[in-house]
Amino acid sequence: MFFIFPRAVHPDVCEQIVKDCKQNILEKALFVDLEGHRKDNPEVRKTLVHFIKDKDNKINELVWGFLREANKIQFNYDLTYFQPIQFAEYKDGGFYDWHQDDDGKAVESPDELRKLTAVLVLSHPDTFKGGELQFFNGDRPMEDLGKITGEQVANDIKAQGSVICFDSRDYHRVTPVVEGTRYSLACWCVGPNFK
């Protein structure tokens, strides 16, 4: 289940976010294994990232606002706080295989979990090939996403400036980028465990 704010952020704002974030040192994204160790695993994920930890950064209020609104409209979860936003760069085959954003290791307290995820698409879809955000669709092929949700929704998921909010327990992936570069932001809301 996801909620989309299609093309909600102006392309100029998206481009400025990319420009500002690229001034930081991007590091290899690490994957958390079953024992909770953070390690580089290029068979699971090949992405460069930077975390925006400055709470006063204007990007935080922008993304968090969409998460709060989606929660009010559709999810109605008890949310406590937001984790730092992640800027991601996918290029040269960059991808992130099937995963959940809440895997039981995303927060330190056993009484909390990631509940909602937001992804802001920063790149125009004409500037890269591949790099599609996809949701697990049971036994249906992912190509059927457009048929299931409507072609417009499938296009909105790819559109620059779209914000996609979804339950952090939902399996999703970013397919390999085969040409160009895909930039995005991801943010997570944490709350008490579901009862």
Side-chain angles (χ1 to χ4, degrees):
M1 173 170 62
F2 52 85
F3 188 89
I4 303 174
F5 297 94
R7 299 168 183 82
V9 179
H10 193 276
D12 291 345
V13 174
C14 293
E15 298 297 333
Q16 188 62 50
I17 291 171
V18 170
K19 183 178 176 184
D20 291 346
C21 288
K22 284 185 68 174
Q23 292 179 17
N24 298 294
I25 296 172
L26 301 181
E27 300 176 351
K28 280 185 182 180
L30 300 178
F31 181 77
V32 180
D33 66 16
L34 294 174
E35 290 81 39
H37 301 107
R38 301 178 69 73
K39 56 171 82 170
D40 179 22
N41 187 342
E43 293 183 18
V44 174
R45 186 175 193 189
K46 181 183 172 191
T47 317
L48 294 176
V49 298
H50 170 73
F51 285 91
I52 302 168
K53 296 180 180 177
D54 173 14
K55 291 192 185 296
D56 294 328
N57 192 304
K58 61 186 174 186
I59 297 171
N60 289 326
E61 203 50 46
L62 174 74
V63 178
W64 294 344
F66 286 111
L67 273 167
R68 285 191 292 264
E69 187 66 16
N71 189 50
K72 185 169 74 173
I73 293 169
Q74 182 163 324
F75 300 96
N76 222 7
Y77 292 160
D78 182 8
L79 304 175
T80 309
Y81 65 93
F82 303 92
Q83 292 181 307
I85 293 175
Q86 174 189 263
F87 171 76
E89 176 184 85
Y90 296 84
K91 64 180 181 179
D92 303 326
F95 75 103
Y96 196 174
D97 207 356
W98 291 114
H99 68 283
Q100 297 169 290
D101 289 339
D102 184 74
D103 57 4
K105 301 177 215 65
V107 295
E108 293 185 21
S109 170
D111 300 325
E112 297 177 320
L113 64 136
R114 284 181 176 171
K115 288 189 168 180
L116 277 182
T117 299
V119 173
L120 167 56
V121 182
L122 296 172
S123 300
H124 191 282
D126 292 344
T127 63
F128 64 96
K129 290 184 182 172
E132 292 184 20
L133 173 63
Q134 297 180 337
F135 294 92
F136 184 69
N137 202 22
D139 59 358
R140 297 181 183 135
M142 288 310 301
E143 299 82 60
D144 287 348
L145 180 65
K147 297 174 194 156
I148 295 163
T149 63
E151 199 60 39
Q152 186 60 50
V153 171
N155 289 334
D156 288 343
I157 288 175
K158 302 174 192 174
Q160 182 180 34
S162 287
V163 181
I164 304 96
C165 300
F166 55 95
D167 189 304
S168 298
R169 299 169 294 176
D170 289 347
Y171 277 94
H172 59 287
R173 70 177 175 183
V174 176
T175 62
V177 171
V178 295
E179 185 178 306
T181 306
R182 176 191 186 268
Y183 296 105
S184 62
L185 293 179
C187 178
W188 307 275
C189 288
V190 175
N193 289 337
F194 290 107
K195 304 262 178 189

